[in-house]
Amino acid sequence: MEAKLEEYRNRIEMRGLKELTDYFSYVPGYDQNASLLVSLVNSRGDVLFIHEPVSGTNVDFEDVKSEVINQKSPHFDFVMPEAKGNDSLLVFGKTLKDGNRLFVAKSTEGMGVQLRNLQKIFWWLLLPVALVGFLGGLFLSNKTLSPVRELLTSMKKIEGGSLSTRVPIGGSDDELEELKILCNKMLDKIENLVNGLKEAFDHLAHDIRTPVTRLRGRAELALQAEGDIETYREALQSCFENSDKILNFLQVLTDITEAENRSKKLKLEKKFISQLVEEIMSLYEMAFEEKDIKISVKLDAHDWAMVDARLISRVIANLLDNAHKYTPSGGEVLIETINQTENVILRVTDTGPGIAAEEHGAIFQKLYRSDKSRSEYGMGLGLTFVKAVVEAHDGKVSVKSPVKDGKGTEFEVLLQKMS
């Protein structure tokens, strides 16, 4: 309405009132302004021009004219209630340069009809939109909560004792899928830990039963027999040896636990690994000779590292003990140290029967002994101790088997120079 008011003002002030009269006379069928009341009045209230709307208004024109004349501002607007219904008349006006007042007015009746139509359209659209929104929300919430429900279902099964249960993986790439993958990895570790504990207790019971049974049996025989002092002395000697085996077994287990937990501080010092190898070799040299095993040594003169000499010496002793135990008579054992810029490698290679590929990980577990080695004397803790001590030095231990012609085993220990 303000735009039309400005248009009519321009027509009158630039081309005269006749231009506005001609405009409405020449285009009677032009209904763009059919709903507008357009009028020009002078300060005395004389009507100089009037265009009445097609639909008419329910307001007396004289009342409108009086209100227009009473307006003090050059630009004015006001609202007048119509005589019928709840509709009103909107009036926008302007005082022209010659003092006459031009105004346009429009009933809100048409606007009310449009508003009511919009309300009907709104209510008709509200129902399907609400239905679509409800169904969409239900679908999205179900899709979002589905992984959570799967997690809860799996957790309940695990709580019931089924440690092998895993959360189904859907293949999507969101955070919940990542959470399920992490949960499954955690369950894998827990299951392996629990199974390892079960196996360790089984092996522990198996390995301790023999010396304890011997100890008990020897003591029982001594109590039942009416022997001399020498007989009792022999019984006590046997009890002492068997109890010593048990204590030694438990001490090794304690050392492994301390190394794994790093609860005991290492006494690190700069030591040449070749020197430690030579010291341990002096203890095993005769044993290798008795078994007719050829020993080859390739030591690097610069193979120093920061190590706890007492523990690394026991690592070397365990590796040599394994090589002596599993290398057949007439076989060969090669001991090497390789100096590198930041590391030192200790490698012990034998020509024994080798280790099956599926046992490469298991041989470092506590109390694990393969069926082949069950007949050999030992506690099944040697390689576990090696791994625990080397990793306590931030090093690595690995096994390679077979080495050549389907036989032989190679253990490699990597120690950092500055651990």
Side-chain angles (χ1 to χ4, degrees):
M1 291 177 65
E2 289 184 343
K4 298 307 296 182
L5 177 67
E6 188 64 21
E7 176 187 343
Y8 300 151
R9 183 191 68 78
N10 286 333
R11 286 180 182 275
I12 295 173
E13 290 186 343
M14 296 180 66
R15 299 175 186 174
L17 180 59
K18 188 175 183 303
E19 166 65 19
L20 184 64
T21 305
D22 292 343
Y23 172 76
F24 281 98
S25 300
Y26 292 150
V27 285
Y30 185 58
D31 64 348
Q32 182 179 2
N33 306 314
S35 61
L36 290 178
L37 169 64
V38 183
S39 181
L40 179 67
V41 297
N42 59 21
S43 58
R44 295 188 303 274
D46 299 330
V47 178
L48 304 178
F49 173 81
I50 184 170
H51 168 76
E52 295 182 351
V54 175
S55 59
T57 63
N58 293 318
V59 179
D60 189 346
F61 179 75
E62 291 300 324
D63 295 339
V64 178
K65 186 175 67 175
S66 299
E67 185 65 27
V68 168
I69 293 172
N70 292 333
Q71 293 293 322
K72 303 300 182 185
S73 173
H75 301 275
F76 56 87
D77 60 87
F78 57 87
V79 179
M80 293 185 66
E82 295 190 13
K84 299 179 181 179
N86 297 322
D87 300 321
S88 301
L89 186 70
L90 298 178
V91 180
F92 286 85
K94 178 176 286 188
T95 302
L96 303 184
K97 292 179 179 178
D98 55 6
N100 295 331
R101 296 192 172 185
L102 175 69
F103 66 93
V104 295
K106 185 176 182 179
S107 173
T108 60
E109 180 181 1
M111 297 180 185
V113 172
Q114 292 178 356
L115 183 60
R116 286 189 288 274
N117 290 334
L118 286 175
Q119 287 178 335
K120 291 179 181 177
I121 294 172
F122 172 77
W123 286 113
W124 277 108
L125 289 177
L126 179 62
L127 182 61
V129 169
L131 183 61
V132 170
F134 173 74
L135 294 176
L138 189 64
F139 172 75
L140 289 176
S141 63
N142 183 62
K143 185 177 180 181
T144 303
L145 293 177
S146 178
V148 179
R149 281 195 293 270
E150 290 175 347
L151 273 171
L152 289 174
T153 302
S154 300
M155 292 302 106
K156 288 178 181 177
K157 289 182 180 177
I158 293 168
E159 185 185 20
S162 178
L163 284 178
S164 59
T165 299
R166 296 294 180 269
V167 184
I169 303 299
S172 59
D173 191 23
D174 54 18
E175 287 76 8
L176 285 172
E177 198 69 13
E178 186 177 355
L179 175 63
K180 292 196 291 186
I181 293 173
L182 289 175
C183 183
N184 283 345
K185 288 182 178 178
M186 181 187 68
L187 291 173
D188 288 340
K189 289 186 177 180
I190 292 174
E191 186 181 17
N192 291 334
L193 181 62
V194 171
N195 290 336
L197 285 173
K198 289 180 180 176
E199 291 178 3
F201 279 119
D202 290 343
H203 295 323
L204 181 64
H206 178 271
D207 290 337
I208 285 187
R209 184 185 298 117
T210 301
V212 170
T213 303
R214 287 176 182 170
L215 189 151
R216 184 181 181 283
R218 196 71 180 90
E220 186 177 6
L221 287 175
L223 290 173
Q224 293 175 354
E226 296 180 355
D228 51 16
I229 294 177
E230 188 61 28
T231 302
Y232 295 131
R233 187 185 297 279
E234 290 178 0
L236 288 173
Q237 179 67 29
S238 178
C239 291
F240 173 79
E241 291 174 355
N242 283 291
S243 62
D244 192 54
K245 288 180 182 177
I246 297 171
L247 288 174
N248 185 40
F249 181 82
L250 296 176
Q251 182 59 50
V252 175
L253 273 178
T254 303
D255 291 340
I256 291 172
T257 302
E258 288 178 348
E260 289 177 339
N261 298 334
R262 304 193 182 192
S263 57
K264 192 172 183 178
K265 189 175 181 181
L266 300 176
K267 296 179 181 178
L268 297 178
E269 58 181 325
K270 183 179 178 179
K271 293 292 291 185
F272 287 91
I273 305 303
S274 55
Q275 181 183 349
L276 299 178
V277 170
E278 288 171 349
E279 291 175 0
I280 302 301
M281 269 300 300
S282 64
L283 302 176
Y284 279 84
E285 198 168 9
M286 185 174 293
F288 281 109
E289 287 179 2
E290 289 177 352
K291 202 173 178 181
D292 192 23
I293 297 173
K294 181 182 178 182
I295 299 293
S296 300
V297 180
K298 295 181 181 178
L299 303 178
D300 194 308
H302 305 286
D303 55 359
W304 67 269
M306 298 298 293
V307 298
D308 187 319
R310 184 181 63 86
L311 293 175
I312 294 301
S313 294
R314 290 177 62 185
V315 167
I316 298 170
N318 274 296
L319 294 177
L320 292 182
D321 187 68
N322 265 359
H324 173 266
K325 191 182 300 178
Y326 297 111
T327 303
S329 179
E332 297 181 4
V333 173
L334 172 63
I335 305 169
E336 299 173 275
T337 60
I338 302 170
N339 181 53
Q340 296 181 332
T341 304
E342 298 181 351
N343 307 306
V344 172
I345 295 176
L346 167 65
R347 190 179 292 159
V348 178
T349 309
D350 63 52
T351 56
I355 302 172
E358 59 271 19
E359 291 185 304
H360 285 187
I363 57 175
F364 294 105
Q365 296 177 6
K366 288 178 183 173
L367 303 169
Y368 176 83
R369 285 189 296 171
S370 67
D371 292 337
K372 291 180 182 178
S373 63
R374 284 284 172 191
S375 59
E376 299 289 343
Y377 170 76
M379 296 182 291
L381 293 174
L383 291 176
T384 308
F385 178 83
V386 169
K387 184 173 185 291
V389 170
V390 171
E391 290 183 352
H393 284 75
D394 294 326
K396 293 180 181 177
V397 59
S398 59
V399 60
K400 176 183 175 183
S401 183
V403 179
K404 185 178 179 181
D405 299 331
K407 294 184 177 181
T409 302
E410 176 186 287
F411 286 99
E412 184 175 285
V413 173
L414 184 144
L415 297 170
Q416 296 182 16
K417 286 195 169 185
M418 301 300 295
S419 179

